[in-house]
Amino acid sequence: MTLDQLRVFLTVAKHLHFTNAAEELCLTQPAVSTAIHILESDYGVKLFHRMGRRIEITSAGKMLQVEAQKILAQVTLAERGLRELNNLQQGELNLGSSLTIGNYWLPEKISKFKQKYPGISVNCTLANADNICGGTATGLYDLGVVAGEIKLNLQKNIASEIIGRDRLQIVVGQSHSWFDQPEIMVDDLVNTSWVMREAGSGSQQTFEQALQNWGINPQTLDVALLFNSSEMVKAVVERGVEATALSELMIGKELRLDTLRSIKVFNSSKFEEMIITRPILKLKHIQRFQTRIVQAFEEILCQDFDA
């Protein structure tokens, strides 16, 4: 079994069409058919059902598809590792980051890395924390960076390390009754409407956990709007009469301009300020080979953090 055969097989499995696969591979259709036929003959299995002009992948084909993807992914990493031996002068880094961290915390780290290693290409995908954790667990990203916690079902595949901390602040706009009342009691949180992030958001998970720690069921809050973008949440709260919880990373300008105001929340019995903090986590797959590029970026991620 050769790598070229596996690449041909995966392309056919993707298109479920020999001609389309041949076009992508810049091969003739007979060459693609022959490669598949040789694989089937060598191992005595059928990888595809031929039904006229249509084909369907068999159970044996599905098994090979999973394993072939793993094999070629490892080959790609090995090739990258060899190319990177030349003093980190070329190569690529694939990152995944949760939205707030990717927009406000990570760019400075990437900029430092590019200044030190200008020949390395950095690709960064932004999504909510759940998606980044899932992508890191399946090997989609070399490294993931999120704020919050990792779901239990993913922890067996992911190694995490705290590389920073973020604080969530409860904020309101000028039209809200709390704007000129910068201190409230924790029980007051149920007496306003809220704009929230979606359930997969790290910010939302952290806020809901804080509410539960304070003895408030998140389901009792009056949630007027849900968005999958913290920028949208911020814009709506600036102009509306709802409250929200946002990372302090993204509200500095608005606090200076006084279009948003941060509200301190105090415990009713002890009169202690209730503070919401969450760790910024570096994630990587436990078994995935770590290239020199990944190791170099990890060093920059961990700079200036006092655990």
Side-chain angles (χ1 to χ4, degrees):
M1 187 182 297
T2 68
L3 296 177
D4 286 339
Q5 286 176 319
L6 293 181
R7 291 188 179 98
V8 170
F9 164 75
L10 286 176
T11 308
V12 174
K14 179 175 73 172
H15 290 285
L16 291 177
H17 196 284
F18 284 101
T19 302
N20 291 347
E23 290 176 357
E24 178 177 328
L25 293 165
C26 298
L27 297 173
T28 64
Q29 189 271 332
V32 170
S33 298
T34 299
I36 298 299
H37 177 72
I38 291 172
L39 274 176
E40 292 177 326
S41 298
D42 285 349
Y43 297 97
V45 296
K46 281 291 183 185
L47 300 174
F48 299 99
H49 293 300
R50 280 79 164 174
M51 296 173 293
R53 300 181 65 181
R54 293 175 50 246
I55 63 172
E56 288 185 2
I57 193 167
T58 66
S59 58
K62 290 178 181 177
M63 184 277 291
L64 180 59
Q65 185 178 27
V66 172
E67 298 304 320
Q69 287 170 339
K70 292 179 183 178
I71 291 168
L72 292 182
Q74 286 299 117
V75 170
T76 299
L77 283 174
E79 291 173 339
R80 283 174 53 185
L82 291 173
R83 287 195 296 267
E84 292 163 10
L85 291 177
N86 191 16
N87 297 321
L88 298 173
Q89 293 181 5
Q90 60 181 354
E92 66 177 12
L93 176 68
N94 293 315
L95 303 176
S97 175
S98 54
L99 294 164
T100 300
I101 299 303
N103 282 317
Y104 291 94
W105 187 86
L106 195 56
E108 179 185 1
K109 304 290 186 180
I110 293 175
S111 178
K112 287 183 178 179
F113 181 77
K114 287 293 292 182
Q115 289 174 17
K116 192 171 183 179
Y117 308 108
I120 296 173
S121 172
V122 179
N123 308 310
C124 187
T125 299
L126 302 185
N128 69 33
D130 276 0
N131 289 337
I132 297 304
C133 289
T136 305
T138 58
L140 186 60
Y141 310 118
D142 296 322
L143 291 172
V145 185
V146 301
E149 304 295 332
I150 307 170
K151 288 187 174 180
L152 287 174
N153 64 317
L154 297 176
Q155 290 181 7
K156 63 181 180 181
N157 294 321
I158 294 178
S160 65
E161 179 183 349
I162 298 175
I163 55 174
R165 296 196 181 274
D166 180 31
R167 179 177 175 179
L168 291 189
Q169 297 198 30
I170 293 173
V171 294
V172 297
Q174 295 176 348
S175 299
H176 197 284
S177 60
W178 292 348
F179 191 80
D180 294 317
Q181 181 189 345
E183 297 178 0
I184 63 171
M185 297 299 175
V186 68
D187 295 338
D188 294 329
L189 295 175
V190 299
N191 298 326
T192 189
S193 296
W194 292 83
V195 181
M196 301 286 201
R197 283 287 306 276
E198 80 286 5
S201 158
S203 299
Q204 186 62 20
Q205 292 169 2
T206 300
F207 182 51
E208 290 183 0
Q209 184 61 57
L211 290 173
Q212 291 172 351
N213 294 340
W214 298 347
I216 296 176
N217 183 347
Q219 302 300 320
T220 63
L221 296 189
D222 175 20
V223 180
L225 293 165
L226 283 173
F227 293 112
N228 63 1
S229 162
S230 293
E231 290 293 341
M232 293 180 68
V233 171
K234 180 171 67 173
V236 169
V237 170
E238 272 190 288
R239 296 166 176 78
V241 294
E242 297 85 11
T244 193
L246 290 173
S247 164
E248 65 181 1
L249 294 169
M250 65 180 300
I251 57 175
K253 182 182 73 173
E254 290 75 18
L255 293 178
R256 289 193 299 272
L257 295 175
D258 213 25
T259 59
L260 287 176
R261 189 159 289 176
S262 176
I263 307 300
K264 294 182 178 180
V265 180
F266 286 88
N267 182 302
S268 301
S269 58
K270 299 180 181 178
F271 207 72
E272 296 175 345
E273 185 179 358
M274 314 295 281
I275 296 175
I276 310 173
T277 60
R278 56 182 181 167
I280 299 174
L281 300 175
K282 177 193 69 181
L283 313 176
K284 59 184 178 182
H285 196 286
I286 290 175
Q287 297 179 328
R288 186 179 173 91
F289 172 71
Q290 300 299 311
T291 67
R292 289 185 65 205
I293 287 178
V294 171
Q295 294 167 8
F297 190 71
E298 285 184 285
E299 292 177 3
I300 288 176
L301 279 179
C302 299
Q303 284 179 355
D304 306 320
F305 174 60
D306 184 3

